[in-house]
Amino acid sequence: MTTLDQYNFAGKRALVRVDFNVPLNDKFEITDDTRIAATVPTIKKIVADGGSCVLMSHLGRPKDGPTDKFSLRHLVAHLSETFGQTVKFADDCIGQSAASQSASLKEGEILLLENLRFYKEEEKGDVGFAQKLAALADVWVMDAFGTAHRAHASTAVIGQFFKDRVCGYVMQAELDNAQKVLKNAQRPFTAIMGGAKISDKILIIERLLDTVDNLIIGGGMTYTFTKAQGGAIGKSLLEADKQELTLTILSKAKQKGVNLVIPSDNVCADAFSNDANRQTVATGQIPDGWQGLDIGPASIKTFTDILLQSKTILWNGPMGVFEFPNFAAGTDAIAEAVVKATEENGAFSLIGGGDSAAAVNNAGYGHRVSYVSTGGGALLEYMEGKVLPGVAALE
């Protein structure tokens, strides 16, 4: 695969698939520009070489064609400030406006196309739509790791129309860091798997059982493990049809010599609300009518001790309902332990996108871990051993 540093963009017009799917408030202001900031080095390299950039992205999930709240024009002011130049905007991603503005780009100029998902053809992976996009430039740069697991028109299908296909810096860093954890992990290697459902994480858990020394399980999925072992979980989250599976996971971990740890205590609530009454109970002893929403202090101590002895850490998924401040202590404590292991003990820490990335960034720890992935689902699928269409299209 051709990397950015191997390619000279002088005199070339690059069509760059970026991931500008950023959160906006009700005034259409960007509330977290992590994804935009991540792509800046890629765009600056193209411009510095003497090339021009046509940027394409999706934003949100528009259902019925063009909708103002999903328009990428809301990002233009922020992008112009970021790059110190007026970033041009085409009010369509194909058609006359996109074609004429792309064709008239001068060296060093940047054009942003309107939301790709205003066309249903994007997510369908339509070949004709991909060909229309490809007509806008000389070289395709794929830098949207967060959508690399989707065979969409702009992320994968488009590759067939370019002789020159280049892997951007975000993609390269994501793949390099995932490989570092999968293939070259220093030991002890600890994975922390949180989140609501076992069904979302089963493939990655099974793969990790072949590579990790410690596997910490947190979040909503812990209650299915507890219930399967005869514990009382009140009205906590339960995947009843996955109880047998949790027993298989526990047994496999034992066979493979993996230290699989589930919480020993839970903070539970009498309602799914930040203001609910709460109490801390031992795992398997949640009263009827109550639900577990976070890990307790004993679990925090156990998990922290394991992390501080680790040399490689992979974290995907929160320990509880961290959106509620009263039930965020477990997730915050894990973030602090990962930072401490990284800064004081030299551990390599990879934070896997989505909620765990939000938890780390919101606590202001993003720059204090080794790498925060921009793609939750894509990273998981890559680590499960699946071929990502957006990666295959570059090879």
Side-chain angles (χ1 to χ4, degrees):
M1 140 180 346
T2 305
T3 62
L4 215 64
D5 287 334
Q6 293 167 338
Y7 194 87
N8 185 355
F9 290 90
K12 302 272 189 185
R13 190 157 66 242
L15 183 61
V16 190
R17 178 51 161 107
V18 289
D19 183 0
F20 284 175
N21 186 26
V22 293
L24 302 172
N25 64 18
D26 53 8
K27 293 180 186 156
F28 302 114
E29 295 161 337
I30 298 165
T31 54
D32 178 2
D33 81 336
T34 307
R35 287 175 170 168
I36 291 176
T39 59
V40 168
T42 292
I43 297 163
K44 283 193 166 169
K45 149 77 171 145
I46 296 166
V47 167
D49 277 359
S52 57
C53 278
V54 180
L55 307 178
M56 56 177 178
S57 178
H58 72 285
L59 174 64
R61 293 183 174 165
K63 295 276 181 284
D64 311 302
T67 319
D68 183 61
K69 78 169 186 174
F70 295 123
S71 173
L72 284 169
R73 72 180 177 81
H74 301 303
L75 310 189
V76 172
H78 182 86
L79 291 171
S80 297
E81 194 179 322
T82 301
F83 292 106
Q85 62 165 282
T86 302
V87 170
K88 301 174 189 307
F89 180 68
D91 59 9
D92 196 351
C93 56
I94 53 174
Q96 189 50 45
S97 153
S100 60
Q101 290 205 65
S102 298
S104 63
L105 278 182
K106 298 184 182 67
E107 175 186 313
E109 290 187 334
I110 302 168
L111 169 69
L112 175 66
L113 303 178
E114 184 55 285
N115 195 336
L116 294 161
R117 289 192 187 170
F118 284 168
Y119 287 89
K120 298 250 186 297
E121 291 88 339
E122 160 65 3
E123 291 182 89
K124 286 179 181 162
D126 184 88
V127 176
F129 180 69
Q131 191 167 12
K132 286 175 186 172
L133 290 169
L136 301 174
D138 316 305
V139 49
W140 175 55
V141 179
M142 174 58 177
D143 211 23
F145 182 76
T147 53
H149 59 316
R150 307 275 184 234
H152 292 170
S154 68
T155 59
V157 179
I158 196 170
Q160 63 193 289
F161 299 110
F162 286 98
K163 183 171 71 70
D164 294 350
R165 304 184 297 273
V166 182
C167 175
Y169 287 138
V170 175
M171 283 285 284
Q172 195 182 338
E174 293 277 1
L175 297 172
D176 289 350
N177 284 305
Q179 283 297 334
K180 196 167 179 174
V181 165
L182 283 174
K183 301 269 167 69
N184 310 308
Q186 266 194 295
R187 301 198 173 275
F189 175 12
T190 299
I192 315 154
M193 287 287 129
K197 292 181 171 177
I198 297 163
S199 45
D200 293 342
K201 303 279 166 82
I202 181 58
L203 290 170
I204 183 82
I205 286 173
E206 295 206 314
R207 182 105 192 262
L208 288 170
L209 286 175
D210 291 328
T211 53
V212 299
D213 301 297
N214 306 295
L215 178 58
I216 293 171
I217 304 281
M221 64 172 141
T222 55
Y223 305 108
T224 302
F225 278 86
T226 303
K227 178 82 170 171
Q229 295 173 86
I233 63 165
K235 56 174 189 178
S236 304
L237 200 62
L238 171 67
E239 285 181 278
D241 61 336
K242 295 290 184 283
Q243 292 180 76
E244 196 59 44
L245 180 61
T246 65
L247 298 175
T248 306
I249 290 169
L250 291 167
S251 144
K252 275 188 183 172
K254 205 168 184 180
Q255 284 166 21
K256 294 173 188 275
V258 172
N259 176 33
L260 190 151
V261 196
I262 65 171
S264 56
D265 59 347
N266 307 110
V267 179
C268 59
D270 60 358
F272 188 77
S273 159
N274 184 51
D275 305 320
N277 294 308
R278 55 190 195 273
Q279 60 173 317
T280 301
V281 299
T283 291
Q285 293 180 21
I286 295 176
D288 287 346
W290 290 65
Q291 55 190 307
L293 297 184
D294 197 8
I295 58 173
S299 305
I300 288 173
K301 184 176 186 321
T302 304
F303 293 179
T304 298
D305 290 346
I306 292 170
L307 290 168
L308 293 181
Q309 289 165 23
S310 304
K311 284 293 177 194
T312 302
I313 298 167
L314 168 67
W315 180 18
N316 185 281
M319 297 294 99
V321 186
F322 78 108
E323 299 87 346
F324 294 158
N326 285 332
F327 300 97
T331 301
D332 289 346
I334 294 304
E336 283 173 28
V338 172
V339 166
K340 195 171 182 188
T342 309
E343 292 184 340
E344 295 180 19
N345 303 347
F348 176 81
S349 51
L350 173 59
I351 313 299
D355 287 339
S356 12
V360 166
N361 287 329
N362 292 348
Y365 294 145
H367 60 293
R368 297 174 64 188
V369 294
S370 305
Y371 191 73
V372 179
S373 173
T374 57
L379 182 73
L380 282 184
E381 289 199 16
Y382 187 70
M383 293 198 141
E384 287 163 12
K386 291 180 182 164
V387 173
L388 303 190
V391 175
L394 287 166
E395 287 169 344

